[in-house]
Amino acid sequence: MSSASMKECLQLQILEMEMLFSMFPNQGEVKLEDVNALTNIKRYLEGTREALPPKIEFVITLQIEEPKVKIDLQVTMPHSYPYVALQLFGRSSELDRQQQLLLNKGLTSYIGTFDPGELCVCAAIQWLQDNSASYFLNRKLIYEPSAQAKPVKNTFLRMWIYSHHIYQQDLRKKILDAGKRLDVTGFCMTGKPGIICVEGFKEHCEEFWHTIRYPNWKHISCKHAESIETEGNGEDLRLFHSFEELLLEAHGDYGLRNDYHMNLGQFLEFLKKHKSEHVFQILFGIESKSSDS
């Protein structure tokens, strides 16, 4: 796509965002993933910024009247939208996984009827306000009478994530915020290397992984994942009780300079305490020397 037509797409996206802000004027109803996203796009359109700005990503909280429920609509606008499809996902704590899946299927097929070039976020919102009630009601009809239904199996996941380093204050804040917002536990060890462990139901861990990598954290990889099928709430499978930042002493007196190395001996002790010693070799390729041998 030429930069001229890309600019046309971005102008349409700004126009649609301005419409949304006028439809949802209250603080917090439209939450941008990056608060500077629109400013960066405007600077790009004016020519004061050369690099293509990150995509617009946001969440709109919709209040459905009947039944009285909230739906969070997560929206990502690819740079070429509205000439390519919008990425949309609706979620509500009042819907189980199956119903959420059906709701999103309905929403996606409705959005698929729009012609390239047509803006459709406002239409998607209208569709959810008009049609979502039946998905909530369905749930009652299907699930209430059958108390003997088979227990639902969920996948409990634990991801071990390795990064060359984690220093930046805003990145550390983003990781901790994501850990606290989603129903996950684990830790983020800052420094060099940076290690993150996140555990919880599969969809929450995957959303955490997506959130921290966006938009451009390249030097990060999931070194190891452990998954367990469970019929319960997964609490008994957790090795950690909350999601916290792990600050260990650095080697040498470096303060917080960007070249300090974490004390891996202390980290190994921490892993042992949390029944995770086996991960040490996977992360660092070093056999752990057990202190009692």
Side-chain angles (χ1 to χ4, degrees):
M1 180 176 268
S2 71
S3 65
S5 47
M6 176 73 75
K7 285 187 170 174
E8 183 200 336
C9 291
L10 295 175
Q11 274 160 344
L12 289 168
Q13 291 179 23
I14 292 282
L15 184 72
E16 187 162 39
M17 290 309 296
E18 283 166 357
M19 283 178 353
L20 288 172
F21 282 117
S22 63
M23 284 166 64
F24 297 91
N26 299 330
Q27 183 71 36
E29 284 181 308
V30 180
K31 292 189 282 286
L32 284 162
E33 178 85 25
D34 172 3
V35 288
N36 300 316
L38 305 188
T39 313
N40 287 335
I41 288 178
K42 285 174 183 167
R43 284 175 53 211
Y44 176 75
L45 293 171
E46 289 158 4
T48 54
R49 175 195 167 107
E50 284 181 24
L52 190 62
K55 290 181 282 198
I56 300 176
E57 282 202 295
F58 59 95
V59 176
I60 296 186
T61 302
L62 305 176
Q63 186 67 60
I64 308 297
E65 286 312 308
E66 190 50 53
K68 269 231 171 305
V69 288
K70 280 185 178 164
I71 294 180
D72 281 339
L73 178 63
Q74 204 168 353
V75 182
T76 301
M77 292 180 168
H79 288 129
S80 309
Y81 164 77
Y83 291 95
V84 301
L86 193 63
Q87 290 161 12
L88 291 171
F89 194 80
R91 43 166 64 85
S92 168
S93 56
E94 302 294 321
L95 287 175
D96 61 32
R97 273 201 346 219
Q98 184 59 21
Q99 294 312 114
Q100 197 161 271
L101 207 67
L102 291 171
L103 175 79
N104 282 293
K105 228 173 171 177
L107 176 60
T108 306
S109 68
Y110 169 67
I111 293 302
T113 63
F114 281 70
D115 291 329
E118 280 189 275
L119 296 171
C120 53
V121 178
C122 297
I125 291 167
Q126 194 58 54
W127 185 91
L128 283 169
Q129 283 169 335
D130 295 343
N131 297 281
S132 57
S134 61
Y135 293 89
F136 289 93
L137 299 173
N138 257 353
R139 181 186 177 192
K140 282 204 170 84
L141 296 174
I142 297 169
Y143 290 99
E144 280 179 1
S146 57
Q148 296 80 29
K150 281 185 185 166
V152 178
K153 271 195 160 52
N154 285 308
T155 303
F156 184 87
L157 186 63
R158 186 174 303 109
M159 298 173 75
W160 294 91
I161 297 163
Y162 181 96
S163 172
H164 179 262
H165 60 264
I166 300 173
Y167 299 117
Q168 282 173 303
Q169 205 59 49
D170 54 348
L171 178 60
R172 287 159 63 179
K173 183 179 183 308
K174 183 179 184 175
I175 294 167
L176 282 177
D177 287 351
K180 292 195 174 13
R181 178 172 57 85
L182 298 159
D183 186 17
V184 294
T185 49
F187 66 86
C188 167
M189 180 175 88
T190 54
K192 181 178 182 179
I195 305 291
I196 301 168
C197 171
V198 60
E199 57 177 11
F201 283 139
K202 185 169 183 270
E203 55 271 34
H204 295 147
C205 291
E206 285 173 350
E207 187 171 339
F208 173 90
W209 178 227
H210 169 77
T211 302
I212 65 166
R213 281 162 67 208
Y214 179 84
N216 53 9
W217 192 1
K218 295 189 180 66
H219 302 293
I220 180 171
S221 60
C222 177
K223 283 276 185 117
H224 182 56
E226 299 156 347
S227 66
I228 307 155
E229 293 292 311
T230 177
E231 289 172 359
N233 60 9
E235 290 306 310
D236 55 325
L237 299 171
R238 291 185 191 272
L239 298 178
F240 303 92
H241 299 298
S242 57
F243 192 90
E244 301 295 340
E245 187 167 62
L246 177 63
L247 290 165
L248 299 178
E249 288 168 26
H251 277 308
D253 183 19
Y254 290 111
L256 272 184
R257 264 176 38 205
N258 276 11
D259 52 0
Y260 73 101
H261 288 254
M262 297 321 294
N263 183 326
L264 296 185
Q266 276 188 0
F267 181 53
L268 176 58
E269 287 309 312
F270 172 80
L271 289 179
K272 284 180 183 171
K273 212 179 286 179
H274 293 277
K275 305 189 180 73
S276 302
E277 188 186 342
H278 64 286
V279 180
F280 192 82
Q281 189 187 0
I282 297 168
L283 292 171
F284 304 110
I286 311 166
E287 287 281 2
S288 65
K289 302 273 189 292
S290 202
S291 50
D292 46 57
S293 61

